């Protein structure tokens, strides 16, 4: 596959700052930002709505043929439309975070979502954030970055984010969730969370959002 558009892959574990940084990069460069995690979150949301117990693979696979999931942009802002409804603000809860990591293990789910992601990349300049963008979704992306940060700092960032959204949770719960997702996302057999060999590693521990964005923008110059 030869890419005609500018594609930037931004991967890393939960709370590493990917989405915030990707949004800044997209604004500065005037390109799209695709937050692929939101798509896995939408599948988890659908599974809960359909009463599928424990995100069992057979139940989830049955949902896929009729999955009506669209990624649209309003004023350059990504919206997730499921069955015709905007669910963007409903998929940030700890329950959906946990579910997204669980449905993401199912290869059929990944194949379906990756198809949509590759279509967007083929037709637009985009900075795409996720877990497997540099290794699997867009292995030929011109620019690849892999963000990391200490687990403590990532949990603190995520906890503050949730509290600011009035989502009630303790720091300990968020830390536990992040440790679970790190393991689940890295150990799955198909397209796990992994740094691409040619990705630039950035440790964001102790760095401000602006500092990290600057490192990336400088590399892109
Ligand atoms: O980036 P996020 O926290 O919104 O992602 C939620 C979950 O979705 C994450 O724990 C693993 C899964 N995911 C994935 O497997 N591959 C991606 N490209 C993006 C997210």
């Amino acid at each position: 596959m030869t890419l005609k558009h500018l594609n930037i892959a931004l991967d890393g574990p939960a709370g590493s700052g990917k989405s915030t940084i990707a949004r800044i990069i997209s604004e500065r460069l005037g390109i799209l930002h695709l937050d692929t995690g939101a798509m896995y979150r939408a599948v988890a949301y659908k599974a809960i709505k359909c009463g599928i117990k424990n995100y069992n693979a057979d139940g989830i696979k049955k949902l896929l043929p009729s999955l009506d999931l669209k990624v649209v942009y309003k004023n350059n802002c990504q919206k997730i439309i499921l069955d015709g409804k905007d669910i963007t603000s409903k998929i940030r809860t700890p329950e959906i975070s946990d579910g997204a990591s669980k449905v993401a293990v199912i290869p059929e789910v990944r194949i379906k979502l990756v198809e949509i992601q590759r279509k967007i990349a083929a037709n637009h300049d985009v900075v795409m954030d996720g877990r497997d963008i540099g290794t699997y979704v867009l292995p030929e992306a011109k620019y690849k970055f892999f963000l990391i940060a200490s687990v403590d700092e990532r949990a603190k960032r995520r906890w503050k984010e949730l509290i600011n959204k009035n989502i009630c949770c303790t720091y300990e719960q968020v830390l536990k969730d992040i440790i679970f997702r790190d393991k689940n996302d890295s150990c799955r057999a198909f397209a796990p969370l992994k740094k691409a060999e040619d990705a630039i590693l950035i440790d964001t521990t102790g760095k401000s959002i602006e500092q990290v964005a600057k490192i990336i923008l400088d590399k892109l110059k």
Side-chain angles (χ1 to χ4, degrees), residues 22-221:
R23 198 164 45 244
I24 294 175
I25 304 290
S26 80
E27 282 167 10
R28 302 271 165 93
L29 300 184
I31 63 177
L32 287 189
H33 166 211
L34 179 62
D35 165 6
T36 61
M39 300 170 74
Y40 292 90
R41 287 170 181 271
V43 175
Y45 180 90
K46 173 91 185 177
I48 294 170
K49 287 276 169 222
C50 293
I52 293 174
K53 296 266 171 289
N54 302 320
Y55 305 99
N56 82 79
D58 287 339
I60 305 272
K61 278 191 246 172
K62 281 191 195 129
L63 292 180
L64 293 177
S66 62
L67 185 75
D68 179 11
L69 173 65
K70 290 189 186 75
V71 181
V72 301
Y73 289 88
K74 258 192 206 159
N75 303 326
N76 254 5
C77 210
Q78 172 180 313
K79 302 280 171 205
I80 295 288
I81 312 293
L82 182 75
D83 298 325
K85 289 199 189 94
D86 183 351
I87 59 158
T88 314
S89 63
K90 299 191 171 150
I91 53 175
R92 294 289 147 193
T93 63
E95 184 190 19
I96 301 276
S97 300
D98 172 70
S101 183
K102 289 178 177 160
V103 300
V105 168
I106 304 167
E108 288 82 354
V109 170
R110 305 199 70 81
I111 289 164
K112 176 117 189 167
L113 300 188
V114 168
E115 194 186 316
I116 303 172
Q117 294 158 13
R118 285 186 179 150
K119 257 188 206 149
I120 293 175
N123 293 307
H124 302 274
D125 292 339
V126 64
V127 48
M128 202 179 281
D129 84 75
R131 303 289 188 289
D132 58 340
I133 311 304
T135 51
Y136 182 73
V137 182
L138 304 173
E140 294 176 38
K142 186 157 181 206
Y143 299 99
K144 298 182 186 178
F145 300 92
F146 194 85
L147 305 192
I148 55 165
S150 73
V151 71
D152 252 10
E153 181 150 335
R154 290 190 285 123
K156 273 188 203 131
R157 289 177 188 163
R158 198 38 67 87
W159 179 61
K160 280 188 197 155
E161 209 178 291
L162 290 168
I163 296 296
N164 282 340
K165 283 184 184 155
N166 289 325
I167 298 174
C168 186
C169 56
T170 65
Y171 168 76
E172 286 72 25
Q173 280 170 330
V174 177
L175 179 66
K176 207 170 137 211
D177 163 63
I178 292 220
I179 292 171
F180 163 77
R181 287 207 285 149
D182 280 357
K183 189 160 176 254
N184 204 46
D185 296 344
S186 315
C187 295
R188 65 174 176 240
F190 188 73
L193 163 67
K194 195 172 163 229
K195 178 186 165 306
E197 275 179 19
D198 53 348
I200 296 172
L201 181 76
I202 303 172
D203 186 347
T204 70
T205 314
K207 290 192 180 70
S208 69
I209 290 166
E210 254 325 301
Q211 281 173 321
V212 180
K214 185 173 180 322
I215 295 172
I216 295 182
L217 287 164
D218 285 347
K219 302 267 181 213
L220 297 174
K221 262 181 196 161

